Protein backbone atom coordinates (compact mmCIF):
# COMPACT_ATOMS: atom_id res chain seq x y z
CA UNK A 1 0.00 0.00 0.00
CA UNK A 2 1.00 3.63 -0.35
CA UNK A 3 -0.29 7.13 -0.03
CA UNK A 4 0.68 10.41 -1.61
CA UNK A 5 0.08 14.01 -0.63
CA UNK A 6 0.07 17.55 -1.94
CA UNK A 7 1.75 20.44 -0.14
CA UNK A 8 -0.01 23.77 -0.54
CA UNK A 9 1.57 27.20 0.02
CA UNK A 10 4.04 26.02 2.69
CA UNK A 11 5.95 29.02 4.12
CA UNK A 12 8.62 29.15 6.83
CA UNK A 13 10.67 32.14 8.02
CA UNK A 14 13.72 32.12 10.30
CA UNK A 15 14.83 35.41 11.91
CA UNK A 16 12.88 37.39 9.32
CA UNK A 17 14.56 35.43 6.51
CA UNK A 18 12.01 33.56 4.35
CA UNK A 19 13.43 30.07 3.72
CA UNK A 20 10.24 28.66 2.23
CA UNK A 21 8.13 31.28 0.51
CA UNK A 22 5.16 29.39 -0.91
CA UNK A 23 5.82 25.74 -1.62
CA UNK A 24 3.39 23.79 -3.78
CA UNK A 25 4.54 20.20 -4.21
CA UNK A 26 2.73 17.10 -5.41
CA UNK A 27 4.02 13.69 -4.30
CA UNK A 28 1.84 11.17 -6.17
CA UNK A 29 0.91 7.89 -4.53
CA UNK A 30 3.14 4.99 -5.57
CA UNK A 31 5.67 7.19 -7.38
CA UNK A 32 9.24 8.17 -6.52
CA UNK A 33 9.95 11.89 -6.36
CA UNK A 34 13.42 13.43 -6.14
CA UNK A 35 13.64 16.82 -4.45
CA UNK A 36 16.67 18.69 -5.77
CA UNK A 37 18.09 22.17 -5.39
CA UNK A 38 21.27 24.05 -4.48
CA UNK A 39 22.82 23.82 -1.02
CA UNK A 40 20.94 25.73 1.67
CA UNK A 41 17.84 25.96 -0.52
CA UNK A 42 15.63 24.73 2.33
CA UNK A 43 15.11 21.11 1.26
CA UNK A 44 15.66 19.70 4.75
CA UNK A 45 13.56 22.48 6.27
CA UNK A 46 10.73 21.50 3.94
CA UNK A 47 11.03 17.86 5.00
CA UNK A 48 10.79 18.82 8.67
CA UNK A 49 7.80 21.08 7.99
CA UNK A 50 6.00 18.33 6.10
CA UNK A 51 6.56 15.93 8.99
CA UNK A 52 5.33 18.44 11.57
CA UNK A 53 8.73 18.68 13.24
CA UNK A 54 9.09 22.36 12.40
CA UNK A 55 6.23 24.87 12.53
CA UNK A 56 5.08 26.66 9.41
CA UNK A 57 3.95 30.24 8.98
CA UNK A 58 1.36 29.27 6.38
CA UNK A 59 0.21 26.35 4.29
CA UNK A 60 -1.06 22.81 4.71
CA UNK A 61 -0.96 19.36 3.15
CA UNK A 62 -3.72 17.42 1.47
CA UNK A 63 -3.96 13.65 1.94
CA UNK A 64 -6.72 11.84 0.04
CA UNK A 65 -8.35 15.21 -0.58
CA UNK A 66 -8.42 16.14 3.11
CA UNK A 67 -6.61 19.24 4.38
CA UNK A 68 -4.24 18.68 7.31
CA UNK A 69 -1.59 20.90 8.96
CA UNK A 70 1.17 18.38 8.14
CA UNK A 71 1.82 14.64 7.92
CA UNK A 72 2.17 14.12 11.68
CA UNK A 73 -1.13 12.26 11.84
CA UNK A 74 0.30 9.60 9.52
CA UNK A 75 3.64 8.98 11.23
CA UNK A 76 2.84 5.31 11.77
CA UNK A 77 2.66 4.98 7.98
CA UNK A 78 5.89 6.86 7.23
CA UNK A 79 9.53 5.81 7.30
CA UNK A 80 12.00 8.68 7.65
CA UNK A 81 15.73 9.04 7.10
CA UNK A 82 17.03 12.38 8.36
CA UNK A 83 19.90 14.34 6.84
CA UNK A 84 22.15 13.76 9.86
CA UNK A 85 20.70 10.31 10.51
CA UNK A 86 19.33 11.18 14.00
CA UNK A 87 20.34 7.86 15.54
CA UNK A 88 20.04 7.64 19.33
CA UNK A 89 23.58 7.86 20.75
CA UNK A 90 22.73 5.90 23.90
CA UNK A 91 21.35 2.88 22.02
CA UNK A 92 23.12 0.19 20.05
CA UNK A 93 22.63 0.23 16.30
CA UNK A 94 20.38 -2.82 16.58
CA UNK A 95 18.15 -1.15 19.17
CA UNK A 96 18.02 2.01 17.05
CA UNK A 97 16.60 0.02 14.16
CA UNK A 98 14.24 -1.95 16.42
CA UNK A 99 13.06 1.14 18.35
CA UNK A 100 9.81 1.69 16.44
CA UNK A 101 8.75 -1.94 16.73
CA UNK A 102 9.44 -2.15 20.47
CA UNK A 103 8.23 1.27 21.59
CA UNK A 104 5.37 1.92 19.19
CA UNK A 105 4.14 -1.49 18.08
CA UNK A 106 4.77 -3.55 21.23
CA UNK A 107 6.91 -6.19 19.54
CA UNK A 108 8.88 -8.51 21.84
CA UNK A 109 12.39 -7.07 22.01
CA UNK A 110 14.03 -10.30 20.87
CA UNK A 111 11.87 -10.58 17.76
CA UNK A 112 12.37 -6.89 16.94
CA UNK A 113 16.13 -7.28 17.22
CA UNK A 114 16.09 -10.27 14.87
CA UNK A 115 14.30 -8.21 12.23
CA UNK A 116 16.66 -5.30 12.87
CA UNK A 117 19.68 -7.51 12.20
CA UNK A 118 18.10 -8.70 8.95
CA UNK A 119 17.53 -5.10 7.87
CA UNK A 120 21.11 -4.14 8.76
CA UNK A 121 22.39 -7.03 6.66
CA UNK A 122 20.12 -5.84 3.85
CA UNK A 123 21.83 -2.45 3.77
CA UNK A 124 25.25 -4.09 3.67
CA UNK A 125 26.33 -3.77 7.30
CA UNK A 126 28.19 -6.69 8.92
CA UNK A 127 26.65 -8.51 11.87
CA UNK A 128 29.08 -7.03 14.39
CA UNK A 129 27.67 -3.55 13.75
CA UNK A 130 24.40 -4.45 15.50
CA UNK A 131 26.08 -4.38 18.94
CA UNK A 132 27.99 -1.16 18.31
CA UNK A 133 26.91 2.39 19.09
CA UNK A 134 26.39 5.03 16.38
CA UNK A 135 29.51 6.95 17.45
CA UNK A 136 31.60 3.89 16.58
CA UNK A 137 30.46 3.91 12.93
CA UNK A 138 31.64 5.93 9.97
CA UNK A 139 29.28 8.47 8.45
CA UNK A 140 28.42 6.16 5.59
CA UNK A 141 27.67 3.28 7.94
CA UNK A 142 25.45 5.52 10.06
CA UNK A 143 23.57 6.49 6.91
CA UNK A 144 22.91 2.85 6.08
CA UNK A 145 21.79 2.10 9.63
CA UNK A 146 19.40 5.04 9.48
CA UNK A 147 17.96 3.70 6.24
CA UNK A 148 17.44 0.30 7.84
CA UNK A 149 15.50 2.05 10.61
CA UNK A 150 13.40 3.92 8.03
CA UNK A 151 12.39 0.63 6.40
CA UNK A 152 11.12 -0.95 9.62
CA UNK A 153 7.43 -1.80 9.51
CA UNK A 154 7.07 -1.59 5.71
CA UNK A 155 6.08 2.10 5.61
CA UNK A 156 3.65 3.26 2.94
CA UNK A 157 5.58 6.51 2.46
CA UNK A 158 9.35 6.90 2.64
CA UNK A 159 10.75 10.39 3.19
CA UNK A 160 14.52 10.22 2.77
CA UNK A 161 16.84 13.19 3.23
CA UNK A 162 19.90 12.49 1.07
CA UNK A 163 19.93 8.69 1.51
CA UNK A 164 23.14 8.18 -0.52
CA UNK A 165 25.22 11.08 0.84
CA UNK A 166 28.73 9.97 1.76
CA UNK A 167 28.41 6.60 0.03
CA UNK A 168 30.68 5.31 -2.73
CA UNK A 169 29.12 4.48 -6.14
CA UNK A 170 28.82 0.77 -5.33
CA UNK A 171 27.01 1.42 -2.03
CA UNK A 172 24.90 4.12 -3.67
CA UNK A 173 23.62 1.65 -6.24
CA UNK A 174 23.01 -0.96 -3.55
CA UNK A 175 21.00 1.48 -1.41
CA UNK A 176 18.92 2.65 -4.37
CA UNK A 177 18.26 -0.96 -5.34
CA UNK A 178 17.10 -1.63 -1.78
CA UNK A 179 14.71 1.33 -1.90
CA UNK A 180 13.40 0.12 -5.27
CA UNK A 181 12.92 -3.38 -3.89
CA UNK A 182 10.95 -2.01 -0.93
CA UNK A 183 8.78 -0.04 -3.30
CA UNK A 184 8.23 -3.03 -5.61
CA UNK A 185 7.25 -5.22 -2.68
CA UNK A 186 5.03 -2.74 -0.82
CA UNK A 187 3.95 -0.19 -3.44
CA UNK A 188 5.30 2.58 -1.23
CA UNK A 189 5.56 6.23 -2.23
CA UNK A 190 9.04 7.78 -2.02
CA UNK A 191 10.11 11.40 -1.57
CA UNK A 192 13.89 11.75 -1.43
CA UNK A 193 16.20 14.73 -1.23
CA UNK A 194 19.28 14.20 -3.39
CA UNK A 195 22.20 16.21 -4.68
CA UNK A 196 23.07 13.60 -7.30
CA UNK A 197 21.58 14.72 -10.61
CA UNK A 198 22.31 11.41 -12.32
CA UNK A 199 20.41 9.58 -9.61
CA UNK A 200 17.54 12.08 -9.81
CA UNK A 201 17.19 11.67 -13.57
CA UNK A 202 17.62 7.93 -13.86
CA UNK A 203 16.33 6.42 -10.59
CA UNK A 204 13.22 8.50 -9.89
CA UNK A 205 9.85 8.91 -11.59
CA UNK A 206 9.55 12.62 -10.87
CA UNK A 207 11.76 15.61 -10.04
CA UNK A 208 10.96 18.80 -8.13
CA UNK A 209 13.46 21.66 -7.99
CA UNK A 210 13.50 23.96 -4.96
CA UNK A 211 15.30 27.30 -5.17
CA UNK A 212 14.89 30.59 -3.33
CA UNK A 213 11.94 29.30 -1.33
CA UNK A 214 9.76 28.13 -4.22
CA UNK A 215 9.44 25.10 -6.49
CA UNK A 216 10.96 26.30 -9.77
CA UNK A 217 10.07 23.17 -11.73
CA UNK A 218 8.37 19.85 -11.24
CA UNK A 219 7.51 17.07 -13.62
CA UNK A 220 8.49 13.63 -14.78
CA UNK A 221 12.16 12.70 -14.86
CA UNK A 222 11.67 11.62 -18.48
CA UNK A 223 10.69 15.17 -19.46
CA UNK A 224 13.49 16.91 -17.54
CA UNK A 225 16.08 16.64 -20.32
CA UNK A 226 13.81 18.48 -22.75
CA UNK A 227 12.80 21.21 -20.35
CA UNK A 228 13.64 24.79 -21.23
CA UNK A 229 13.49 25.79 -17.58
CA UNK A 230 16.74 27.68 -16.84
CA UNK A 231 16.91 26.61 -13.17
CA UNK A 232 16.51 22.96 -14.06
CA UNK A 233 18.96 23.16 -16.96
CA UNK A 234 21.60 24.68 -14.70
CA UNK A 235 21.11 22.11 -11.94
CA UNK A 236 21.22 19.11 -14.26
CA UNK A 237 24.30 20.40 -16.08
CA UNK A 238 26.07 21.58 -12.93
CA UNK A 239 26.94 24.92 -14.51
CA UNK A 240 27.99 27.87 -12.33
CA UNK A 241 26.32 30.30 -14.76
CA UNK A 242 22.58 30.72 -14.56
CA UNK A 243 19.77 31.94 -12.31
CA UNK A 244 21.10 29.91 -9.37
CA UNK A 245 23.92 31.98 -7.91
CA UNK A 246 26.66 30.29 -5.92
CA UNK A 247 27.19 31.54 -2.36
CA UNK A 248 30.80 30.38 -2.37
CA UNK A 249 33.32 33.20 -2.63
CA UNK A 250 37.01 33.00 -3.40
Amino acid sequence: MSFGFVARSIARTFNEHPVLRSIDLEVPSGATTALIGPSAAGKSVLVRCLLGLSPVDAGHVEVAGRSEPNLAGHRDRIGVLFQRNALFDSMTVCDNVAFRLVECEDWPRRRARELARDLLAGVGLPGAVAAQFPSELSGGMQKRAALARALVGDPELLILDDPTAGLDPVRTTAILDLIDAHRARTGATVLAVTGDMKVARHRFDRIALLHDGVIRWSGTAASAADSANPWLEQMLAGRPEGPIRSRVRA
Side-chain angles (χ1 to χ4, degrees):
M1 295 180 64
S2 67
F3 76 96
F5 65 92
V6 180
R8 301 285 191 192
S9 305
I10 301 294
R12 181 72 169 104
T13 298
F14 289 96
N15 299 322
E16 301 184 356
H17 173 65
V19 177
L20 306 176
R21 297 174 186 272
S22 185
I23 299 294
D24 293 315
L25 174 66
E26 181 180 3
V27 179
S29 177
T32 58
T33 301
L35 179 63
I36 66 172
S39 299
K43 301 182 293 297
S44 295
V45 173
L46 176 58
V47 165
R48 293 183 62 83
C49 288
L50 292 174
L51 291 168
L53 299 175
S54 182
V56 298
D57 302 317
H60 63 278
V61 299
E62 295 175 1
V63 180
R66 184 176 63 187
S67 177
E68 304 181 30
N70 48 56
L71 297 172
H74 303 275
R75 283 180 183 166
D76 60 335
R77 305 168 66 190
I78 302 173
V80 182
L81 185 154
F82 294 98
Q83 185 181 42
R84 292 180 176 83
N85 306 320
L87 297 170
F88 298 115
D89 294 336
S90 60
M91 292 183 178
T92 65
V93 173
C94 184
D95 284 341
N96 263 280
V97 176
F99 179 83
R100 178 174 180 168
L101 299 176
V102 174
E103 300 298 330
C104 302
E105 300 184 23
D106 295 324
W107 278 43
R109 191 174 299 275
R110 182 174 179 178
R111 182 183 170 206
R113 284 173 171 169
E114 289 175 354
L115 177 59
R117 291 188 185 95
D118 289 342
L119 286 169
L120 288 169
V123 297
L125 291 173
V129 166
Q132 294 181 290
F133 290 88
S135 61
E136 299 177 272
L137 305 185
S138 68
M141 294 174 77
Q142 289 184 27
K143 181 71 69 175
R144 282 181 274 161
L147 177 60
R149 184 176 63 180
L151 295 175
V152 163
D154 289 339
E156 300 172 50
L157 170 64
L158 282 175
I159 297 183
L160 311 173
D161 197 343
D162 228 346
T164 59
L167 301 181
D168 61 67
V170 173
R171 289 298 182 196
T172 292
T173 299
I175 291 300
L176 293 172
D177 287 347
L178 186 66
I179 294 169
D180 286 345
H182 172 83
R183 180 192 175 204
R185 181 171 58 84
T186 66
T189 305
V190 179
L191 172 64
V193 174
T194 181
D196 188 324
M197 295 304 101
K198 183 178 178 180
V199 165
R201 288 184 59 186
H202 299 293
R203 299 298 299 255
F204 287 83
D205 301 321
R206 299 179 59 83
I207 296 174
L209 169 58
L210 174 62
H211 170 251
D212 199 24
V214 297
I215 299 295
R216 296 293 186 182
W217 186 90
S218 67
T220 65
S223 67
D226 299 323
S227 170
N229 182 282
W231 288 272
L232 183 64
E233 286 184 342
Q234 184 184 358
M235 279 297 301
L236 295 181
R239 294 193 308 264
E241 300 84 11
I244 300 174
R245 301 298 179 88
S246 173
R247 298 183 181 182
V248 178
R249 295 183 179 181

